[in-house]
Amino acid sequence: MSLLERLNNDMKQAMKNKEKDKLTVIRMVKASLQNEAIKLQVSELSENDELTVLSREVKQRKDSLLEFEKAGREDLVDKLKAELVILEEYLPKQLTEEELSTIVKETIAEVNASSKSDMGKVMAALMPKVKGKADGGHVNRIVQQHLS
C-alpha cells in the first residue's frame, strides 16, 4: 500500500473517530506530497520522494520544537510533540544505535575513508542507505566518532 493510500485510509478513519489533530496532520502531509508532485511535474511520487517529503515534515517540526522550547511556549511544544508522534507512524522503522554504527563502519570501509577530511565522501555514500531511517544530524555525529 502506498503512502498516499495509507494517508487516505487514515484520514477517513480520523474523520469517523473525530480525531481533529490527526486529521490536520494528515491533511498537511497530503498537501506537502501533492506540492512536491507538482514541483517535480509528476502524477505520482516515487517511494523515495514520499520519504523525502515525510522526513522534511518531521525535521521542520523538530526544528520548531527546539525554538518553541527555548521561547517557553509549552502550548505549542505539546502540539508539535503530538504531531511528531502522528508523523512518525508513517516513517520506516528507525535504526538502532548499533545498526546505524554497523552501517557507518561498512560505508567507511567501502569508500576507504581514514580521516575527517573524508567526511563528505562517507556522508554521500551513507545517506541514501539510511534515508528516513535515521536523523541526518545523528548520522553525522556517529560518522565523526568513527573517523576521529
Side-chain angles (χ1 to χ4, degrees), residues 3-106:
L3 178 62
L4 207 50
E5 290 170 344
R6 224 174 117 201
L7 286 168
N8 285 329
N9 290 339
D10 289 352
M11 189 167 82
K12 289 174 192 169
Q13 198 60 47
M15 283 180 196
K16 288 178 185 173
N17 297 341
K18 298 189 182 352
E19 298 171 295
K20 274 175 75 174
D21 294 338
K22 187 171 187 172
L23 189 58
T24 303
V25 172
I26 291 172
R27 284 182 173 153
M28 277 192 268
V29 172
K30 280 187 64 176
S32 294
L33 289 168
Q34 288 170 335
N35 288 339
E36 188 74 11
I38 291 168
K39 186 177 120 188
L40 297 175
Q41 298 178 345
V42 294
S43 61
E44 200 172 307
L45 291 174
S46 70
E47 195 173 314
N48 201 22
D49 291 334
E50 289 175 343
L51 198 54
T52 301
V53 172
L54 260 181
S55 297
R56 187 181 320 135
E57 291 290 319
V58 169
K59 184 176 180 345
Q60 285 174 351
R61 281 167 180 78
K62 284 183 179 178
D63 292 345
S64 298
L65 188 65
L66 291 174
E67 294 301 316
F68 290 146
E69 284 173 342
K70 285 181 192 172
R73 294 290 311 266
E74 288 305 312
D75 54 331
L76 295 173
V77 167
D78 294 339
K79 182 178 180 272
L80 278 177
K81 283 182 179 176
E83 286 183 12
L84 277 168
V85 167
I86 294 166
L87 279 174
E88 287 171 352
E89 290 175 23
Y90 299 100
L91 284 174
K93 181 181 160 289
Q94 298 295 293
L95 294 170
T96 65
E97 190 82 22
E98 297 80 35
E99 292 170 327
L100 190 54
S101 189
T102 303
I103 294 171
V104 167
K105 287 176 190 170
E106 290 169 0

